[in-house]
Amino acid sequence: MERLKYEEVLWDFRKKEALEQWTLITDEQFGGLSRAEFVQNPGGQAVFKGNISTELPPASSVKYSGMCSIRAQPTWDWKGDVEANDITDYDGIVMRVRGDGRTYALNVQTKSVRDDDIHQSFFHTRGGPLWDIVKVPFTKFVLTNAGFLQDQQMAFPRIRTLGFTLADWNTGPFHLEIDYIKVVLFMYQPKFFSYHYLSKV
């Protein structure tokens, strides 16, 4: 009989190779002025840091600015399909982070109807010298597409990629340290809630 697993570490950023599995995206790639980097600090944790700028470049067609994001790069199987982590045995995500007082979006991409569908949840960081253990049940995610909430919600049994986004319209520096990310089995945590199954009447 297979032993029940209560957690599975997806990324341990004290391992250098974990950091190399992530990619950086900012509005600079679309003509904006925000800057960011994703590096390892002296303690071994990953650091997502930079500067958010909501200023629009002169003589540019850019309408919005002020976004920085990181995302785990997808992995591919021998058939050329994106591999996904089976998370049906777990109820949520746990992260050890140290932030700057800003609110970040936690993004999960799954095998969905559209490749650009993203399940999002948000977490607030306190700032200061202390680390936080952030617990996000899967029931706290909502399905979005291009930043818009979708009417039909759905569960996600498999994770293709995971990432973080900062786009809070506040110009200035940001700093988020990440030690690890894992999926866990929360005791007595419902796997679903009614909003997942609401349909338009």
Side-chain angles (χ1 to χ4, degrees):
M1 181 177 178
E2 187 176 352
R3 186 176 180 180
L4 181 65
K5 293 175 63 177
Y6 290 95
E7 65 178 40
E8 179 181 343
V9 177
L10 300 180
W11 289 278
D12 178 359
F13 290 108
R14 293 178 184 271
K15 300 177 181 178
K16 185 70 174 181
E17 59 269 22
L19 197 74
E20 297 170 351
Q21 295 170 2
W22 288 62
T23 187
L24 186 68
I25 305 167
T26 73
D27 60 37
E28 182 182 12
Q29 297 167 245
F30 312 102
L33 300 175
S34 299
R35 303 288 185 269
E37 58 181 338
F38 191 51
V39 296
Q40 197 171 45
N41 67 15
Q45 295 89 1
V47 183
F48 175 38
K49 63 180 180 178
N51 188 79
I52 291 289
S53 174
T54 56
E55 180 183 354
L56 297 179
S60 171
S61 60
V62 176
K63 295 182 179 180
Y64 305 100
S65 183
M67 184 279 294
C68 291
S69 180
I70 50 174
R71 188 186 72 168
Q73 301 181 52
T75 56
W76 310 85
D77 63 19
W78 64 274
K79 295 183 294 183
D81 296 328
V82 176
E83 293 184 327
N85 292 297
D86 187 349
I87 57 170
T88 50
D89 292 335
Y90 304 105
D91 299 321
I93 293 172
V94 170
M95 309 172 291
R96 184 172 183 259
V97 302
R98 182 164 60 183
D100 50 10
R102 288 182 183 255
T103 298
Y104 292 81
L106 176 61
N107 311 314
V108 172
Q109 186 181 40
T110 68
K111 188 174 183 179
S112 185
V113 177
R114 293 175 293 191
D115 288 339
D116 55 350
D117 280 347
I118 297 291
H119 295 263
Q120 285 192 312
S121 187
F122 296 85
F123 65 96
H124 181 70
T125 61
R126 294 186 299 175
L130 300 179
W131 287 84
D132 286 321
I133 303 297
V134 177
K135 300 178 180 180
V136 188
F138 293 142
T139 55
K140 298 301 182 182
F141 285 84
V142 293
L143 178 62
T144 67
N145 186 279
F148 292 95
L149 180 67
Q150 301 300 290
D151 293 331
Q152 183 67 46
Q153 298 294 305
M154 63 184 70
F156 49 97
R158 293 179 179 271
I159 292 179
R160 282 183 166 182
T161 66
L162 186 145
F164 300 87
T165 297
L166 179 62
D168 60 1
W169 296 96
N170 290 316
T171 295
F174 67 91
H175 190 102
L176 177 67
E177 296 173 84
I178 312 166
D179 190 9
Y180 60 74
I181 304 169
K182 57 187 177 182
V183 286
V184 300
L185 175 62
F186 292 130
M187 301 305 293
Y188 311 114
Q189 171 66 40
K191 285 184 177 293
F192 309 106
F193 69 121
S194 58
Y195 185 62
H196 277 139
Y197 302 103
L198 289 179
S199 301
K200 290 189 295 185
V201 177

